[in-house]
């Protein structure tokens, strides 16, 4: 390959020098343009920062107004709620006093009625008196071996049922008086009284079976006993070769007591 001549090398050098000169001029023009536009760019940046600060300030003012509005609303509603609460409590206290007065009146009426009847039953609201009565009646034996029948129990049941009714009425009065503690105690006493009645029927049933020969029996070794009064019906069945399997008592209010 032939070497380039002197003219061609000179032309390349000139072109390179011209290109470098053009690049230098372009850079100088860019630098001059940047320097000439510096204040404008700074102004734009300052305006952007000012706009950002203005927007931030507006957001803070808006949040402040919202907070002040909310606090004013809460304060107003709180005052309104306090007023309504005071009115409500005043009405409740008024109703409570009326209820307590009514309960006291009913209790006084019950006491006066019990006094006029010369009742030996305890006052359900007098817990020591009621506990003493329940304890004594639990230890009291109904009937004896000389009279293995239900008559003694039947004679005692009206007072027992009356006491149950009195306790139930006292529970109702305590409910009206919103006295939860007294309600619970009275319900316990009522359950105890019902259980005592149940145990009395158990005892009488066992005594009848112990003296079944006084009542007669069927040839098939089955024993049947039935009796009734104005308020109660009593039926007892047993296999004489074994213990009594079942007994039931139904009173006038159709309550059913079962003895296994």
């Amino acid at each position: 390959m032939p070497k380039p001549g002197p003219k061609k090398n000179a032309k390349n050098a000139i072109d390179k020098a011209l290109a470098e000169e053009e690049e230098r001029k372009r850079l100088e023009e860019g630098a001059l343009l940047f320097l000439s536009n510096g204040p404008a760019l700074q102004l734009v940046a300052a305006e952007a920062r000012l706009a950002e600060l203005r927007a931030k300030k507006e957001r803070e003012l808006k949040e402040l107004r919202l907070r002040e509005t909310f606090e004013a609303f809460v304060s107003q509603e709180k005052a309104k709620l306090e007023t309504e609460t005071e009115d409500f409590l005043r009405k409740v206290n008024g109703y409570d006093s009326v209820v307590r007065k009514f309960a006291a009146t009913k209790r006084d009426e019950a006491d006066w009625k019990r006094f006029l009847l010369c009742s030996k039953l305890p006052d359900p609201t007098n817990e020591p008196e009621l506990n003493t009565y329940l304890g004594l009646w639990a230890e009291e034996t109904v009937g004896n071996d000389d009279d293995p029948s239900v008559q003694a129990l039947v004679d005692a049941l009206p007072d027992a049922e009356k006491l149950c009714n009195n306790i139930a009425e006292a529970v109702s009065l305590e409910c009206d008086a919103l006295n939860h503690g007294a309600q619970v105690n009275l319900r316990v006493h009522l359950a105890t009284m019902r259980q005592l009645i149940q145990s009395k029927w158990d005892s009488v049933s066992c005594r009848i079976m112990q003296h079944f020969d006084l009542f007669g029996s069927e040839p098939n070794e089955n024993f049947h006993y039935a009796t009734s009064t104005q308020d109660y019906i009593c039926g007892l069945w047993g296999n004489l070769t074994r213990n009594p399997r079942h007994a039931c008592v139904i009173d006038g209010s159709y309550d059913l007591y079962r003895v296994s």
Side-chain angles (χ1 to χ4, degrees):
M1 180 177 180
K3 295 182 180 180
K7 291 183 179 181
K8 190 172 184 179
N9 289 336
K11 185 176 183 304
N12 290 337
I14 293 172
D15 292 339
K16 182 178 180 180
L18 291 174
E20 291 177 352
E21 181 66 19
E22 289 178 359
E23 179 66 17
R24 184 182 64 77
K25 289 181 178 180
R26 187 180 66 79
L27 292 175
E28 289 179 354
E29 290 176 356
L32 291 174
L33 180 62
F34 176 78
L35 292 175
S36 62
N37 292 334
L41 294 175
Q42 293 177 1
L43 180 61
V44 170
E47 290 179 350
R49 287 195 300 271
L50 183 61
E52 183 179 355
L53 291 174
R54 188 182 298 110
K56 181 179 179 181
K57 188 65 175 179
E58 290 177 355
R59 287 196 302 270
E60 291 177 351
L61 290 174
K62 184 177 180 180
E63 292 175 357
L64 179 61
R65 294 191 191 97
L66 288 175
R67 185 165 57 252
E68 291 176 348
T69 302
F70 177 75
E71 290 176 353
F73 173 78
V74 170
S75 178
Q76 180 181 359
E77 290 299 316
K78 182 179 180 181
K80 182 179 178 181
L81 179 61
E82 290 177 351
T83 302
E84 292 177 351
T85 302
E86 291 177 358
D87 293 340
F88 175 76
L89 292 177
R90 191 180 303 109
K91 291 179 180 179
V92 169
N93 291 333
Y95 294 149
D96 183 65
S97 62
V98 172
V99 170
R100 292 183 183 278
K101 183 178 180 180
F102 174 78
T105 301
K106 295 293 291 184
R107 190 177 296 111
D108 292 341
E109 291 177 356
D111 292 341
W112 178 247
K113 184 177 180 180
R114 186 165 47 254
F115 174 77
L116 293 178
L117 295 175
C118 298
S119 175
K120 297 180 180 179
L121 297 178
D123 180 3
T125 60
N126 189 330
E127 189 165 358
E129 183 179 340
L130 183 58
N131 284 329
T132 300
Y133 181 89
L134 293 177
L136 293 175
W137 202 60
E139 297 176 357
E140 182 180 338
T141 302
V142 178
N144 51 62
D145 292 339
D146 295 333
D147 181 21
S149 68
V150 299
Q151 189 58 46
L153 178 58
V154 169
D155 293 340
L157 282 177
D159 283 345
E161 293 292 345
K162 178 62 177 175
L163 179 57
C164 289
N165 293 335
N166 291 345
I167 296 175
E169 184 178 353
V171 171
S172 178
L173 292 176
E174 296 300 341
C175 288
D176 294 338
L178 305 177
N179 192 342
H180 179 70
Q183 293 178 45
V184 173
N185 291 336
L186 287 170
R187 292 182 190 278
V188 171
H189 291 316
L190 181 58
T192 301
M193 192 62 193
R194 290 295 185 187
Q195 184 60 41
L196 287 176
I197 294 175
Q198 173 76 33
S199 66
K200 300 296 182 182
W201 280 111
D202 290 349
S203 177
V204 169
S205 299
C206 290
R207 186 178 296 112
I208 290 175
M209 291 303 301
Q210 290 172 357
H211 300 277
F212 68 90
D213 54 317
L214 299 178
F215 300 94
S217 60
E218 299 179 2
N220 58 4
E221 296 183 342
N222 285 329
F223 173 74
H224 293 89
Y225 174 82
T227 186
S228 63
T229 66
Q230 181 179 355
D231 299 317
Y232 300 94
I233 299 174
C234 174
L236 180 65
W237 170 87
N239 188 320
L240 299 182
T241 61
R242 305 179 64 180
N243 292 329
R245 296 178 183 173
H246 179 264
C248 68
V249 178
I250 305 176
D251 67 7
S253 61
Y254 302 100
D255 291 330
L256 181 63
Y257 305 93
R258 294 191 177 276
V259 181
S260 299

